[in-house]
Coordinates of all heavy atoms in Angstrom, one line a residue:
A1656 N -6.4 -5.7 -0.3 CA -6.6 -4.2 -0.3 C -5.5 -3.5 0.6 O -5.8 -2.5 1.2 CB -8.0 -3.8 0.1
S1657 N -4.4 -4.1 0.7 CA -3.3 -3.5 1.6 C -2.0 -3.6 1.0 O -1.5 -4.8 0.8 CB -3.4 -4.1 3.0 OG -2.2 -3.7 3.7
S1658 N -1.3 -2.5 0.6 CA 0.0 -2.6 0.0 C 1.0 -3.1 1.1 O 2.0 -3.8 0.8 CB 0.6 -1.2 -0.4 OG -0.3 -0.5 -1.1
A1659 N 0.8 -2.8 2.4 CA 1.7 -3.2 3.4 C 1.6 -4.7 3.6 O 2.6 -5.4 3.6 CB 1.4 -2.6 4.7
M1692 N 1.6 5.8 -4.0 CA 0.3 5.2 -4.2 C -0.4 5.9 -5.4 O -1.2 6.8 -5.3 CB -0.6 5.4 -3.0 CG 0.0 4.7 -1.8 SD -1.3 4.5 -0.6 CE -0.3 3.8 0.7
T1695 N -4.2 5.3 -5.6 CA -4.9 6.0 -4.6 C -5.0 7.5 -5.0 O -6.0 8.2 -4.9 CB -4.2 5.9 -3.2 OG1 -4.2 4.5 -2.9 CG2 -4.9 6.7 -2.1
Y1698 N -7.5 8.0 -7.8 CA -8.8 7.8 -7.2 C -9.3 9.0 -6.4 O -10.4 9.4 -6.5 CB -8.9 6.5 -6.4 CG -9.7 6.5 -5.2 CD1 -11.0 6.2 -5.2 CD2 -9.1 6.8 -4.0 CE1 -11.8 6.3 -4.0 CE2 -9.8 6.9 -2.8 CZ -11.1 6.6 -2.8 OH -11.9 6.7 -1.7
A1733 N -1.5 8.6 2.9 CA -2.4 7.5 3.2 C -1.6 6.3 3.7 O -0.6 5.9 3.2 CB -3.2 7.1 2.0
A1734 N -2.1 5.7 4.8 CA -1.5 4.4 5.3 C -1.7 3.3 4.2 O -2.7 3.4 3.5 CB -2.1 4.1 6.6
S1735 N -0.9 2.3 4.3 CA -1.0 1.2 3.2 C -1.9 0.1 3.7 O -1.6 -1.0 3.7 CB 0.3 0.7 2.8 OG 1.3 0.8 3.9
I1736 N -3.1 0.5 4.2 CA -4.1 -0.4 4.8 C -5.4 -0.2 4.1 O -5.6 0.9 3.4 CB -4.2 -0.3 6.3 CG1 -4.6 1.2 6.6 CG2 -3.0 -0.7 7.0 CD1 -4.9 1.4 8.1
P1737 N -6.4 -1.1 4.2 CA -7.6 -0.9 3.5 C -8.3 0.4 3.8 O -8.4 0.9 4.9 CB -8.5 -2.1 4.0 CG -7.5 -3.1 4.3 CD -6.3 -2.4 4.9
Q1738 N -8.8 1.0 2.7 CA -9.6 2.3 2.7 C -8.9 3.5 3.4 O -9.6 4.4 3.7 CB -11.0 2.0 3.4 CG -11.8 1.0 2.6 CD -13.2 1.0 2.9 OE1 -13.6 0.6 4.0 NE2 -14.1 1.4 2.0
A1739 N -7.6 3.4 3.5 CA -6.9 4.6 4.0 C -7.1 5.8 3.1 O -7.1 7.0 3.6 CB -5.4 4.3 4.2
G1740 N -7.2 5.6 1.8 CA -7.3 6.7 0.9 C -8.6 7.5 1.1 O -8.7 8.7 0.9
L1741 N -9.6 6.8 1.5 CA -10.9 7.4 1.8 C -10.8 8.4 2.9 O -11.4 9.5 2.9 CB -12.0 6.3 2.1 CG -13.4 6.8 2.2 CD1 -13.9 7.1 0.8 CD2 -14.3 5.7 2.8
D1769 N -11.1 0.0 -3.7 CA -9.9 0.0 -3.0 C -9.0 -1.2 -3.5 O -7.8 -1.0 -3.6 CB -10.2 -0.3 -1.5 CG -9.0 -0.1 -0.6 OD1 -8.0 0.4 -1.0 OD2 -9.1 -0.4 0.6
R1772 N -7.4 0.0 -6.8 CA -6.3 1.0 -6.7 C -5.1 0.4 -5.9 O -4.0 0.8 -6.2 CB -6.8 2.3 -6.0 CG -7.4 2.2 -4.6 CD -7.9 3.5 -4.1 NE -8.2 3.5 -2.7 CZ -9.4 3.5 -2.1 NH1 -10.5 3.4 -2.9 NH2 -9.5 3.5 -0.8
T1773 N -5.3 -0.5 -5.0 CA -4.2 -1.1 -4.3 C -3.3 -1.9 -5.2 O -2.1 -1.9 -5.2 CB -4.7 -2.0 -3.1 OG1 -5.5 -1.2 -2.3 CG2 -3.5 -2.5 -2.3
N1776 N -1.3 0.5 -7.0 CA -0.3 1.0 -6.1 C 0.9 0.0 -6.1 O 2.1 0.4 -6.2 CB -0.8 1.1 -4.7 CG -1.8 2.2 -4.5 OD1 -1.9 3.1 -5.4 ND2 -2.5 2.2 -3.4
Ligands
LIG510 N1 -5.6 0.3 0.4 C1 -4.6 1.1 -0.2 C2 -3.3 0.5 -0.1 O1 -3.0 -0.2 0.9 C3 -4.6 2.5 0.3 C4 -6.0 3.2 -0.1 O2 -6.0 3.7 -1.2 O3 -6.9 3.1 0.7 O4 -2.4 0.7 -0.9

Side-chain angles (χ1 to χ4, degrees):
S1657 167
S1658 310
M1692 299 198 183
T1695 302
Y1698 140 88
S1735 27
I1736 55 172
Q1738 296 198 294
L1741 190 71
D1769 192 9
R1772 62 184 192 252
T1773 307
N1776 290 347

